[in-house]
Amino acid sequence: MSSESRSRVTRAIYPGSFDPPTNGHLDVIERAAGALGELIVAIVVNPQKRDPMFTLREREKMLKECIAHLPNVRVEHFRGLLADYVKAQDADVIVKGLRVVSDFEIEMSTALMNRSLSNVDTLFLMSDAKYSFVSSSLVKEVFFLGGDVSMFVPHPVLDVMTTKRTALKRL
Ligand code: PNS
């Protein structure tokens, strides 16, 4: 390895809906931030799957509070193709977390498509086993049906969720 490649700071993008961020997301962020030079947590503004429950502003607020202790991490958002955003940011790598085998099936084709479009590889981190069943959609369902999700989301996220639930109850 040349001294030039050794001194290069790797810029990574961790994309997602983060609707809301979970402890599983934060675990991936912390581990990626420890291994890579610079990490951009990139919130997708127009997710393909469904309308988000939390506004972009709420998701930004939650994530910024969660990553406040990580100096090489910042929160951004993007519209459209991830591959275009990755190129625009001059990123070296995309980071994704893998919880279970079914995640891999989806993520493999996505990673190959993103590499074809941007020439940027996807680096996968295995989720910690204790978060393998934790997803944003399950957390939302449990929480809004009155369940306790305090062990699955960071404190700033629980605060925003509680405010949201109170506001929704008033409607
Ligand atoms: O947290 P999620 O919902 O699993 O994140 C999915 C995300 C945002 C990574 C994915 O939907 C995405 O990359 N969206 C941007 C649109 C895009 O590039 N689609 C083509 C993927 S090959």
Side-chain angles (χ1 to χ4, degrees):
M1 189 187 281
S2 72
S3 58
E4 193 185 326
S5 55
R6 265 203 304 273
S7 64
R8 184 167 158 71
V9 171
T10 303
R11 177 176 294 165
I13 308 263
Y14 179 40
S17 306
F18 304 109
D19 186 44
T22 65
N23 283 341
H25 290 128
L26 186 57
D27 177 55
V28 169
I29 291 169
E30 286 173 341
R31 286 157 57 206
L36 302 164
E38 188 187 339
L39 182 70
I40 302 172
V41 179
I43 307 169
V44 67
V45 176
N46 50 345
Q48 256 60 50
K49 294 184 227 163
R50 68 202 93 80
D51 283 339
M53 171 165 279
F54 296 93
T55 64
L56 176 61
R57 190 175 287 251
E58 286 168 332
R59 288 180 284 155
E60 266 172 345
K61 173 181 157 59
M62 291 187 274
L63 277 168
K64 282 182 179 167
E65 288 179 24
C66 292
I67 57 103
H69 61 297
L70 300 168
N72 60 334
V73 181
R74 66 178 197 270
V75 178
E76 305 280 350
H77 60 268
F78 72 101
R79 292 180 166 76
L81 272 182
L82 174 62
D84 289 341
Y85 178 71
V86 162
K87 281 191 283 184
Q89 293 294 323
D90 197 22
D92 305 292
V93 73
I94 297 165
V95 169
K96 291 277 186 86
L98 286 179
R99 291 166 302 186
V100 287
V101 173
S102 55
D103 280 351
F104 177 78
E105 288 175 14
I106 300 161
E107 294 296 348
M108 184 177 171
S109 50
T110 304
L112 292 174
M113 178 60 82
N114 280 326
R115 189 158 62 126
S116 300
L117 297 172
S118 67
N119 204 28
V120 171
D121 265 307
T122 301
L123 192 68
F124 291 104
L125 291 180
M126 298 308 301
S127 291
D128 191 290
K130 63 179 179 282
Y131 303 129
S132 62
F133 61 96
V134 178
S135 67
S136 297
S137 48
L138 265 185
V139 161
K140 275 184 290 196
E141 182 170 340
V142 170
F143 182 75
F144 286 101
L145 291 172
D148 177 10
V149 296
S150 56
M151 62 286 239
F152 307 128
V153 295
H155 285 300
V157 173
L158 193 62
D159 290 348
V160 171
M161 291 181 82
T162 305
T163 305
K164 187 96 179 171
R165 186 168 63 185
T166 307
L168 289 174
K169 273 186 188 159
R170 285 206 200 99
L171 293 177

